[in-house]
Amino acid sequence: MSFSIELMREIEATVASWGLPPRLIHEVLEHLYEELAERPRYHLKRISKPDIRLLYMFTVRAEGDPPRDYLFEFSVRYHADEETLIIWECDYLSLEAGPG
Amino acid sequence: MNEASLLRFCDAQTKLIIALIFDHAGEADAPRVPARIDPILPHLIEYCETGKHALEVLGLALLSDQITKTEPISLVVRESVPRMISLLERVRRLGRQAREEGIPPTGLDEYEQAVNRFRKSAIDFLMHWPWGSMEPWEKSAAAAYERGEFREAREALNELLEQARQREQANDRVTEPAMAPPRSGRGIELE
């Protein structure tokens, strides 16, 4: 069973403010729906400090000169209906990619 | 213990910056003097090793619940690690360029191995460390969710995707006059 994913409006505004190129937004979509929505228990990391939360993290390599690795982090919560995942916080950072 | 590791990390970083800026940076920046990066490679290797150790210690401390406030550390690390990786990769490119020109810097292979180890530990660390505001759900988002301030993610992201495509097309129109230089990459955001 695939989970549906809901995005808080504030998060939508945050992602828009990043000004990502189309390819990276497409990669985010693919990760959310091909990984997280399909197997959330496998992909979510649970942390307990400072509060209990579930994190979904992934990296994307973006070509360029030099290329960069983008690391994305989403805070996720299960809805009470147990069929929906709610993304309520997100962030990303980029690192210059290595040669290989 | 965690603070000490962080301090060692910062100290190694300081030594690195001093070596680059005051001793060798001018020469290393010039494209035709790649052999002059030799003297800074040992400092960079030390930086990689102490940085790797510090990040591993911090990661273990988080796992064993010894750290209760993650945000101060994430604020430091998310600024310093990308900046330092950028510097390390820049030196790696200079070293490879020198090798291609027949003047391989002494210790380049060891340096590259150290950079690779540091990169791996940095990405492992970043992929396990919570970076967010750490506001609990109840305070920051539950009320907004109750008010219906959410949307199906696919719909929202597809809309952002379309906006990004339009933005990119508009940029292409602006930057593609007859004499425009060829673009590198795909217009990806760089530093």
Side-chain angles (χ1 to χ4, degrees):
Chain A
M1 181 198 82
S2 292
F3 280 70
S4 61
I5 303 177
E6 291 174 346
L7 205 61
M8 300 296 294
R9 290 280 186 181
E10 193 179 329
I11 301 308
E12 190 180 335
T14 300
V15 176
S17 74
W18 292 344
L20 297 175
R23 182 179 161 265
L24 283 181
I25 298 176
H26 184 72
E27 291 274 1
V28 170
L29 255 170
E30 281 197 348
H31 275 85
L32 290 179
Y33 281 94
E34 292 182 10
E35 281 188 354
L36 181 64
E38 293 299 321
R39 299 179 69 190
R41 285 185 62 190
Y42 181 78
H43 291 289
L44 285 169
K45 292 188 178 84
R46 183 182 188 276
I47 63 161
S48 56
K49 298 284 183 181
D51 63 339
I52 295 172
R53 70 171 58 194
L54 297 169
L55 298 178
Y56 175 52
M57 296 174 161
F58 58 90
T59 62
V60 175
R61 171 70 53 94
E63 298 305 319
D65 185 20
R68 298 191 73 86
D69 288 330
Y70 284 73
L71 283 64
F72 292 92
E73 178 185 281
F74 294 89
S75 293
V76 179
R77 186 178 176 87
Y78 282 98
H79 191 281
D81 66 11
E82 298 182 350
E83 295 178 350
T84 305
L85 301 167
I86 305 165
I87 294 175
W88 60 284
E89 196 168 71
C90 65
D91 206 345
Y92 87 98
L93 61 84
S94 71
L95 304 171
E96 192 167 310
Chain B
M1 185 176 164
N2 299 328
E3 290 83 353
S5 296
L6 266 181
L7 286 174
R8 281 199 295 275
F9 187 17
C10 294
D11 187 47
Q13 189 175 21
T14 303
K15 284 189 282 187
L16 162 68
I17 292 167
I18 290 170
L20 284 173
I21 294 178
F22 297 105
D23 298 335
H24 309 288
E27 294 91 338
D29 268 345
R32 293 294 170 187
V33 286
R36 302 301 298 272
I37 67 169
D38 296 45
I40 64 171
L41 292 184
H43 296 289
L44 290 165
I45 291 171
E46 182 186 355
Y47 168 76
C48 290
E49 298 303 336
T50 54
K52 173 178 174 291
H53 178 67
L55 294 178
E56 288 171 354
V57 168
L58 280 174
L60 287 172
L62 181 71
L63 279 177
S64 56
D65 289 344
Q66 293 173 17
I67 291 176
T68 54
K69 291 185 177 179
T70 56
E71 193 173 10
I73 293 170
S74 67
L75 286 174
V76 174
V77 168
R78 65 174 297 146
E79 290 290 326
S80 61
V81 168
R83 187 161 41 241
M84 295 314 298
I85 284 182
S86 177
L87 176 60
L88 294 169
E89 293 295 348
R90 184 177 165 202
V91 173
R92 189 205 303 257
R93 286 197 296 275
L94 278 175
R96 288 189 170 194
Q97 181 186 338
R99 189 162 57 194
E100 286 171 10
E101 292 173 358
I103 318 166
T106 304
L108 180 60
D109 289 341
E110 292 83 353
Y111 170 73
E112 291 216 43
Q113 290 163 13
V115 172
N116 292 342
R117 286 193 296 270
F118 177 73
R119 279 190 66 88
K120 183 179 182 308
S121 67
I123 290 176
D124 283 350
F125 177 85
L126 293 168
M127 291 296 285
H128 288 87
W129 194 271
W131 317 332
S133 69
M134 292 296 117
E135 283 288 318
W137 160 263
E138 289 75 14
K139 285 184 185 172
S140 63
Y145 191 81
E146 290 303 314
R147 290 195 299 271
E149 295 177 8
F150 62 89
R151 196 175 174 196
E152 207 271 321
R154 192 190 302 274
E155 181 188 1
L157 290 171
N158 272 325
E159 200 172 293
L160 293 178
L161 181 60
E162 186 54 34
Q163 289 170 11
R165 284 178 177 145
Q166 289 174 8
R167 193 169 60 237
E168 195 169 74
Q169 285 169 4
N171 288 340
D172 286 346
R173 280 196 292 273
V174 170
T175 58
E176 287 181 0
M179 298 301 290
R183 293 182 59 183
S184 62
R186 301 178 173 205
I188 299 299
E189 174 195 354
L190 300 177
E191 285 185 338

